[in-house]
Amino acid sequence: MKVLVNGGLNLSVLDGWWAEAYSPDVGWAIGDERKHGEDPVWETADAEALYNTLEQEVIPQFYERDPNGIPLRWVARIRESMARLTPAFSANRSVRQYTEEYYLRLGATYRARSASGGEFVAGLLEWQAKIAALWSRLHFGPLHAETRGDRHLFEIPVYLGELDPGDVRIDLYANASNGRSVVQQEMTRGNALLGPAAAYLYSADVLADRPVDDYTPRVVPSREGAFVPLESTEILWQR
């Protein structure tokens, strides 16, 4: 952070904050963004990459000057780095984000739970115990997916065992891929299915801008006011 605000440029392996911040117009990167421990083969490769980057890119760009002695491409990179990265990677941003997204919410949650005189917490503990005891009985039926026009349509039976529909949430999920962001869409519960087990048909439709195989239904615990997965870590993926 001190490097950024003082106009320094970063050259590093793609680890930690640099893996998130790096782009070719704000600095330089070496390595493949994977951890290899102390493997001497990879240490040698990183060393070679470092020296090659210094010799072929960093040093020539620093000493490439205009008639006034100004390294124009170097200065342009400094400006881009300061403008783009300083607001995002700073103590001010970190403290503000943590306060707004976590500390204030935590304080409000504490007050709300305290106001119930322990009633909410007792219900939460009961729900947690129920989820833990009955989760293994959950299972999916066969997934049906088809494409109609510009939409993918999904339907799947979910067998809840002794859990109530309100104890869980069924999502249609897809990882980030090829520049597309994560999809996490709650599926709609239909009527109960006939049979001895408690089962419901869940459905969802999404824009057909990526393959059907990208999507997977999953079950996660759900309760109003509970923090999932912090307060209940179970998850069941359709396979």
Side-chain angles (χ1 to χ4, degrees):
M1 296 176 183
K2 293 177 181 178
V3 168
L4 294 174
V5 76
N6 285 284
L9 296 175
N10 285 275
L11 163 58
S12 179
V13 294
L14 290 167
D15 187 22
W17 80 280
W18 193 229
E20 180 181 351
Y22 168 72
S23 70
D25 49 350
V26 297
W28 297 271
I30 59 175
D32 62 354
E33 205 170 352
R34 300 169 65 181
K35 295 185 181 298
H36 301 282
E38 298 181 359
D39 185 342
V41 174
W42 280 101
E43 288 185 348
T44 300
D46 281 349
E48 291 179 354
L50 172 62
Y51 288 120
N52 286 336
T53 303
L54 285 169
E55 293 173 1
Q56 298 174 18
E57 300 182 41
V58 179
I59 294 173
Q61 190 170 119
F62 181 79
Y63 285 104
E64 180 186 280
R65 309 289 173 117
D66 70 359
N68 296 315
I70 298 174
L72 295 179
R73 290 202 298 154
W74 187 273
V75 172
R77 195 182 291 262
I78 289 174
R79 289 176 172 172
E80 188 66 23
S81 173
M82 294 181 73
R84 188 190 307 176
L85 301 185
T86 300
F89 298 93
S90 70
N92 285 342
R93 192 278 306 165
S94 298
V95 171
R96 184 186 310 111
Q97 182 179 359
Y98 273 69
T99 299
E100 293 174 350
E101 296 185 13
Y102 299 102
Y103 302 147
L104 294 178
R105 291 179 61 191
L106 181 62
T109 299
Y110 173 78
R111 289 194 298 271
R113 292 186 177 186
S114 299
S116 69
E119 181 180 347
F120 176 86
V121 175
L124 177 66
L125 293 174
E126 182 180 346
W127 170 76
Q128 288 175 321
K130 182 179 180 182
I131 291 291
L134 302 176
W135 192 260
S136 62
R137 304 180 190 180
L138 280 168
H139 64 278
F140 288 100
L143 174 65
H144 174 74
E146 63 176 293
T147 303
R148 297 179 186 172
D150 64 348
R151 310 291 294 182
H152 293 321
L153 310 179
F154 298 86
E155 288 186 336
I156 189 166
V158 181
Y159 297 84
L160 302 180
E162 297 176 48
L163 289 172
D164 297 322
D167 292 327
V168 297
R169 188 184 75 243
I170 287 74
D171 291 335
L172 186 65
Y173 186 90
N175 286 319
S177 175
N178 298 323
R180 299 183 179 94
S181 58
V182 168
V183 175
Q184 180 180 313
Q185 178 172 319
E186 184 172 357
M187 302 186 76
T188 301
R189 176 167 56 92
N191 294 328
L193 301 176
L194 297 177
Y200 298 87
L201 186 66
Y202 285 83
S203 62
D205 69 276
V206 295
L207 187 65
D209 60 348
R210 54 195 297 177
V212 166
D213 291 343
D214 281 5
Y215 295 91
T216 306
R218 68 178 189 181
V219 186
V220 294
S222 178
R223 177 181 172 85
E224 185 176 358
F227 292 98
V228 176
L230 180 63
E231 293 178 321
S232 188
T233 60
E234 286 82 357
I235 188 168
L236 176 67
W237 294 93
Q238 183 266 339
R239 298 183 185 277

